[in-house]
Amino acid sequence: MSALSRQLIPKFCLRTLKNSVPSVVISRFNGTATEKDQDSDKHSKTIPDPIPGMIQTAVLKKYSSPLVIENVELVKEIKPNEVLIDVSYCACNGPDVLLSENVYNSELKPPLVLGYELVGKIIQVGTEAEAEGYKVDDKVVALNKERFGGFAEQCVVEVGDIWKVPSSIKSIDAVSLMENYMTALIAFEECGALEENDTALINVGLRGAGLAAVDVATNVYRTKAIGVCASEETANLVREEKGAFAAFKYSEKKLMSQIKEIAKELNIHDIFEDNEGERFKNMLHCFTNIYNTKTLSKDMLRDDNFATVVQHLSREGKLVVAGIAEMKGESQYDNTESGFSVTGINLREYRKNNYKLYRQAGEEVLSYFEEGLIKPSYSLIVGLYKINEAMKSVTDKKSSGKVLIDLKNKNAAPIKKASSK
């Protein structure tokens, strides 16, 4: 099944809001000041009251510090190629945490507003955006991997970085879809050439892109997906919700025997024999070595280390190995002796160098969800005032699905979810 065949639309960019009033810290970044008996007492003292004619944002004042709630002035004027979005939800992703710690490849510096994957309604339209068919009250989902800015009640977004959301799709689903599913879809289409009845061995790890890859491989391409996961909880999610053929928690000692057992059931033998066997083992190591690194948390939070490699088999077709991989240098892993190299999928690069594919991937993701083929997973929803709890959840790798920030119910207590319905 060809994955990228639909009509395209635009894309997104946010402007950091300025002229803020004095700010206050809402909670400690390490999450130690969140006890219920303290929270209600501290809440009124640490959160500034909303001010008419202003909006509230969560601002990173300096690296490795808690985000701070501020009231900032409304954007009064937008450019012709921009829209102003009234934000409903914004995802809290790995790059948000990495950028907050100054370990993300970005030119942005504090003070800044994090958050780049968001959904909401358009409240102001530039002339160029209007010419492209956008109007006030359109619901759109956006990716802004260049300028961030989504942890705010309103955001300015370039028309090229937004997609219209069909009325049948809930906002909470739309904001959980785009980055992870676009990454998986592009990887399989461009690098994996995945086809029906292929076998896909996917290193899920803890990242949402791995879960999305299993979902796409199983329910869009109709392949037999095998998930290698960082936890038993994630393995259960992969089997029960995503419908994978098999899934298990990573164990260095058990890995090969588990794969051999599944391969036997699929009548696959070549991957363990002679030169092909050695090549497969090296490929597998490239992906699963991420579990053994001291920088596991940082690697798991990256957005440029999802990769795909094809293992051609002489008798049984091909096996696609995909998922979170260990990268060396600029998102690459080279093993010339084994005859393969791995390059991580980076949506920012596709946005720059293959815009048409980038746009199509976004349209396809929304279409597949509307058709009921895929279902995004989210693990936690918190109000804006609990933003640092969301950041900690991502840092601690406690959430395999999306962590979402509610901009409409800013004082909402954390709600844990297994998946969207």
Side-chain angles (χ1 to χ4, degrees), residues 52-257:
M54 305 186 83
I55 61 170
Q56 291 192 315
T57 68
V59 182
L60 177 71
K61 305 294 284 186
K62 63 180 181 178
Y63 291 127
S64 300
S65 296
L67 304 188
V68 170
I69 296 298
E70 292 188 345
N71 290 305
V72 302
E73 293 182 2
L74 292 168
V75 175
K76 295 183 174 62
E77 187 175 333
I78 62 173
K79 297 178 181 178
N81 69 331
E82 295 175 337
V83 298
L84 181 62
I85 297 176
D86 181 39
V87 182
S88 297
Y89 296 96
C90 184
C92 182
N93 293 306
D96 296 312
V97 171
L98 296 179
L99 181 52
S100 76
E101 297 176 1
N102 197 23
V103 289
Y104 185 73
N105 184 21
S106 173
E107 296 180 358
L108 298 175
K109 307 294 181 185
L112 63 92
V113 178
L114 300 170
Y116 60 85
E117 188 174 18
L118 60 95
V119 66
K121 286 188 176 182
I122 295 176
I123 54 178
Q124 190 175 340
V125 186
T127 54
E128 292 180 17
E130 186 176 20
E132 291 195 28
Y134 289 93
K135 62 184 183 300
V136 171
D137 287 335
D138 280 347
K139 184 163 71 172
V140 293
V141 63
L143 284 178
N144 183 25
K145 296 180 71 68
E146 294 294 330
R147 291 194 284 173
F148 289 69
F151 295 163
E153 291 183 282
Q154 294 180 8
C155 281
V156 176
V157 180
E158 287 186 9
V159 68
D161 284 321
I162 60 176
W163 288 262
K164 286 185 180 179
V165 177
S167 58
S168 60
I169 300 180
K170 296 179 180 179
S171 295
I172 205 165
D173 291 318
V175 77
S176 303
L177 276 169
M178 302 306 286
E179 179 180 43
N180 291 335
Y181 281 85
M182 286 174 63
T183 297
L185 199 59
I186 289 174
F188 287 141
E189 184 76 9
E190 289 291 287
C191 309
L194 203 60
E195 298 176 355
E196 189 172 355
N197 296 322
D198 281 343
T199 300
L201 178 63
I202 300 172
N203 187 39
V204 176
L206 284 169
R207 256 193 59 196
L211 291 174
V214 174
D215 205 358
V216 170
T218 301
N219 301 304
V220 174
Y221 288 96
R222 305 297 181 184
T223 66
K224 295 178 178 65
I226 304 164
V228 181
C229 308
S231 69
E232 189 58 45
E233 179 184 2
T234 303
N236 289 335
L237 183 63
V238 166
R239 285 190 300 267
E240 297 171 10
E241 181 182 303
K242 305 305 180 185
F245 183 81
F248 45 83
K249 178 182 177 181
Y250 171 77
S251 169
E252 184 176 7
K253 293 180 179 179
K254 297 180 181 179
L255 182 62
M256 285 306 298
S257 62

Side-chain angles (χ1 to χ4, degrees), residues 284-408:
L284 193 61
H285 177 77
C286 166
F287 284 85
T288 59
N289 194 50
I290 194 169
Y291 296 106
N292 301 320
T293 64
K294 294 181 180 179
T295 58
L296 178 63
S297 60
K298 296 291 189 297
D299 287 337
M300 287 289 186
L301 297 178
R302 288 175 58 175
D303 62 348
D304 61 352
N305 62 344
F306 185 95
T308 306
V309 182
V310 176
Q311 170 82 354
H312 291 284
L313 309 174
S314 60
R315 295 191 298 270
E316 297 102 14
K318 71 174 183 289
L319 171 72
V320 176
V321 183
I324 311 303
E326 179 189 39
M327 296 297 177
K328 300 176 181 178
E330 291 297 319
S331 303
Q332 291 196 355
Y333 180 101
D334 292 306
N335 192 320
T336 53
E337 292 182 1
S338 297
F340 73 89
S341 62
V342 175
T343 301
I345 297 296
N346 188 330
L347 288 184
R348 288 190 296 169
E349 292 302 315
Y350 273 92
R351 177 182 181 269
K352 294 175 184 177
N353 301 321
N354 196 337
Y355 179 72
K356 182 178 180 180
L357 179 65
Y358 179 84
R359 296 302 313 156
Q360 284 182 307
E363 288 299 312
E364 282 293 309
V365 165
L366 290 169
S367 179
Y368 287 144
F369 178 81
E370 197 172 22
E371 293 171 19
L373 295 177
I374 57 177
K375 181 170 65 174
S377 298
Y378 62 89
S379 301
L380 183 68
I381 308 170
V382 303
L384 179 65
Y385 296 161
K386 307 288 185 180
I387 184 77
N388 288 305
E389 293 183 35
M391 294 283 282
K392 177 173 170 51
S393 177
V394 175
T395 303
D396 292 348
K397 309 184 298 301
K398 292 182 178 178
S399 303
S400 54
K402 284 287 186 181
V403 174
L404 306 178
I405 310 303
D406 189 340
L407 276 300
K408 293 302 181 184

